[in-house]
Amino acid sequence: MSVRSDAAAKTRERLLEESLTLFSQRGYAATGIRDILKAAKVTQPTLYYHFADKASLFQALIERHYGESQEQLTATIDSQASVANKLLAFTTSSFEYCCADPRVPRLMFQTYFGATIPEIDGVLDKLTEKRFRLIVKVMEQGIQFGELSPSDPEFLALAFCSMVDQPINLFSRKSRPKKYLTPELAHAIVKLFLSGASIRTKNVTGP
Amino acid sequence: MSVRSDAAAKTRERLLEESLTLFSQRGYAATGIRDILKAAKVTQPTLYYHFADKASLFQALIERHYGESQEQLTATIDSQASVANKLLAFTTSSFEYCCADPRVPRLMFQTYFGATIPEIDGVLDKLTEKRFRLIVKVMEQGIQFGELSPSDPEFLALAFCSMVDQPINLFSRKSRPKKYLTPELAHAIVKLFLSGASIRTKNVTGP
DNA sequence: CTCTTAGTATACCATTCGGTATATGTTACG
DNA sequence: CGTAACATATACCGAATGGTATACTAAGAG
């Protein structure tokens, strides 16, 4: 790494960092290139030296952060043996990741659930699908090994991901996600998913 | 109703109808006033005769449709006695409402979860809060009357609403929401919420 | 020493945005 | 009949958009 290209990497980094802040706050469409330039203290030709256009900058941003979180998540799940613990690890890890830098989930959810942007469309689809498949696998294991009652693993994954992601989505928009996305909440979600909310009276399945 | 004001109501209606289609597809920011004019076959001064500005048109649109769905939902819940049936009615009713016109939930979720739009901010907050409170009440009843095991009713409502709303949000973006948001899915969600996913082995609470 | 990299500053482009102005027309109601 | 409601057509506004062009510079690399 030469001094020259090292400095270049730093400006590139500054562009990504500042655009993360702005995109996550105002969204892709409402964030002007000039806003980013001002925040990163860079002139317009410089931005177009590092990135082909606005969409490329955005895409680079998404892919970097999604890759990060995906790796972390996979490792955390694999470190656990039982399905219950895998799900708990998935939840707490997702919560922690959100609390560490709420800009990231905020950008993701906002882009995924917000208005369709033609230039960006489909960028997130493959990435979210990958994360979903991770949980489907866990559910399949759970059914196979007798931890979960036999049912559609895709349905279970959808329901569970909903219970995890919706709170992240909601609270990452608030001022203090850390106040809400606690380990206690993670635990409560997993427990509810596994055991349900109803009072269980003499409902025995075993012999 | 005079003939005159009746024709006026029809143009107003046409503006709302076409803007619903466009806003739900492209979102508020990306939908230009000119797009709406072209679709509704109306000139610009006419729009500004009926609505003060773009934001007012949008707000009128939101409030109309949210009011509709809210009334329907409250009535459906009240028509049921047990908590289990209330939750099932809430879910199926929400699904049906989405299938009847996916543009509506699509607009709602997109606006709520999408990028913050200063002119619109807070319009949906009170409305979604109202819907949430509806479910909190049901949970409180369920705990009080011994149908649900004692726990935080707000947490239960959050989890349940997540399981219902996230699929609506996801599938209202697809081409055929009716294929996915079936009564069977509604039933499965309620059952999962009440009974959980784990195999229940000799887990008796009663005497 | 020269060439390339990574930048700056400034100016400009066409297009679109939400919104307004003005002037004209139709038509139903009092 | 006259007036007010509801509409048309056309033209315009300032501001902002994403993106480009030109000219110039600092400095490390070969």
Side-chain angles (χ1 to χ4, degrees):
Chain A
M1 278 299 144
S2 61
V3 179
R4 204 172 52 190
S5 67
D6 186 56
K10 275 190 180 175
T11 36
R12 197 189 139 95
E13 207 61 30
R14 219 164 54 238
L15 280 167
L16 286 168
E17 173 67 17
E18 298 299 331
S19 62
L20 170 59
T21 303
L22 290 169
F23 280 140
S24 70
Q25 277 170 4
R26 311 181 203 172
Y28 178 81
T31 303
I33 268 185
R34 268 116 178 146
D35 301 330
I36 300 171
L37 298 176
K38 204 164 65 178
K41 282 165 196 162
V42 152
T43 57
Q44 202 156 344
T46 301
L47 186 151
Y48 283 96
Y49 174 84
H50 287 283
F51 301 95
D53 50 19
K54 191 190 175 188
S56 299
L57 166 60
F58 185 82
Q59 191 153 346
L61 191 61
I62 292 284
E63 271 159 11
R64 139 174 324 196
H65 287 286
Y66 216 100
E68 254 181 33
S69 73
Q70 195 76 4
E71 286 170 28
Q72 184 183 321
L73 221 51
T74 311
T76 316
I77 286 182
D78 289 342
S79 74
Q80 299 294 326
S82 73
V83 168
N85 283 337
K86 278 180 196 287
L87 296 181
L88 184 60
F90 172 82
T91 310
T92 48
S93 179
S94 295
F95 281 10
E96 277 167 17
Y97 191 80
C98 171
C99 293
D101 191 348
R103 294 177 303 171
V104 180
R106 192 166 166 180
L107 176 66
M108 300 293 176
F109 284 113
Q110 185 176 92
T111 308
Y112 191 73
F113 290 122
T116 309
I117 301 155
E119 327 162 48
I120 296 304
D121 206 31
V123 170
L124 273 176
D125 285 350
K126 275 175 286 184
L127 299 170
T128 53
E129 178 69 13
K130 218 171 158 186
R131 182 162 174 272
F132 180 69
R133 286 295 142 202
L134 215 68
I135 300 301
V136 173
K137 280 264 179 208
V138 174
M139 297 300 175
E140 281 169 351
Q141 279 178 35
I143 294 167
Q144 195 184 336
F145 296 158
E147 274 194 74
L148 302 179
S149 63
S151 54
D152 181 10
E154 296 220 0
F155 162 70
L156 291 180
L158 173 64
F160 183 72
C161 285
S162 296
M163 284 200 286
V164 174
D165 286 344
Q166 191 86 319
I168 294 179
N169 191 0
L170 286 168
F171 293 132
S172 68
R173 307 172 68 85
K174 306 246 178 181
S175 52
R176 297 222 187 295
K178 214 166 189 166
K179 261 183 84 173
Y180 305 98
L181 300 176
T182 60
E184 287 76 29
L185 179 60
H187 193 269
I189 286 173
V190 175
K191 193 189 164 199
L192 177 64
F193 174 77
L194 292 175
S195 306
S198 74
I199 292 213
R200 293 184 280 160
T201 50
K202 301 179 251 173
N203 214 342
V204 186
T205 307
Chain B
M1 276 299 144
S2 61
V3 179
R4 202 173 53 193
S5 68
D6 186 55
K10 276 190 179 175
T11 34
R12 196 190 140 96
E13 206 62 29
R14 218 165 55 241
L15 280 166
L16 285 167
E17 174 67 17
E18 297 300 329
S19 62
L20 170 59
T21 303
L22 291 169
F23 279 142
S24 72
Q25 277 170 5
R26 312 182 203 171
Y28 178 81
T31 303
I33 267 184
R34 269 114 177 149
D35 301 330
I36 299 172
L37 298 176
K38 204 163 65 179
K41 283 165 194 161
V42 150
T43 56
Q44 202 155 344
T46 301
L47 187 150
Y48 283 98
Y49 175 82
H50 286 282
F51 301 96
D53 51 19
K54 191 190 176 189
S56 299
L57 166 62
F58 185 82
Q59 191 153 346
L61 191 63
I62 292 284
E63 272 161 8
R64 139 175 322 199
H65 287 287
Y66 216 100
E68 255 179 34
S69 73
Q70 194 76 5
E71 285 170 27
Q72 186 183 319
L73 221 52
T74 311
T76 316
I77 286 183
D78 288 343
S79 74
Q80 299 294 327
S82 74
V83 168
N85 284 337
K86 277 180 196 287
L87 295 181
L88 185 59
F90 172 82
T91 310
T92 50
S93 179
S94 296
F95 280 11
E96 277 167 17
Y97 191 80
C98 171
C99 293
D101 191 350
R103 293 177 304 171
V104 181
R106 192 166 166 180
L107 176 66
M108 300 292 175
F109 283 113
Q110 185 177 93
T111 307
Y112 191 74
F113 291 121
T116 308
I117 302 155
E119 326 161 48
I120 296 302
D121 205 32
V123 171
L124 273 176
D125 286 349
K126 273 176 286 182
L127 299 169
T128 53
E129 178 69 12
K130 217 171 156 187
R131 183 163 173 272
F132 180 68
R133 285 296 142 200
L134 215 67
I135 301 302
V136 173
K137 280 264 178 206
V138 175
M139 298 300 174
E140 282 169 351
Q141 279 177 37
I143 294 169
Q144 195 185 337
F145 297 157
E147 274 194 74
L148 302 179
S149 63
S151 54
D152 181 10
E154 298 222 359
F155 162 70
L156 292 181
L158 173 64
F160 183 71
C161 286
S162 296
M163 284 201 285
V164 175
D165 287 344
Q166 191 85 320
I168 295 180
N169 190 1
L170 286 168
F171 293 132
S172 67
R173 308 173 69 86
K174 306 246 178 182
S175 50
R176 299 223 185 294
K178 212 166 191 167
K179 262 183 81 173
Y180 304 98
L181 300 177
T182 60
E184 288 75 31
L185 180 59
H187 192 268
I189 286 173
V190 175
K191 193 189 162 195
L192 178 64
F193 174 76
L194 291 175
S195 305
S198 74
I199 293 213
R200 292 185 280 161
T201 51
K202 300 180 255 174
N203 214 344
V204 186
T205 309

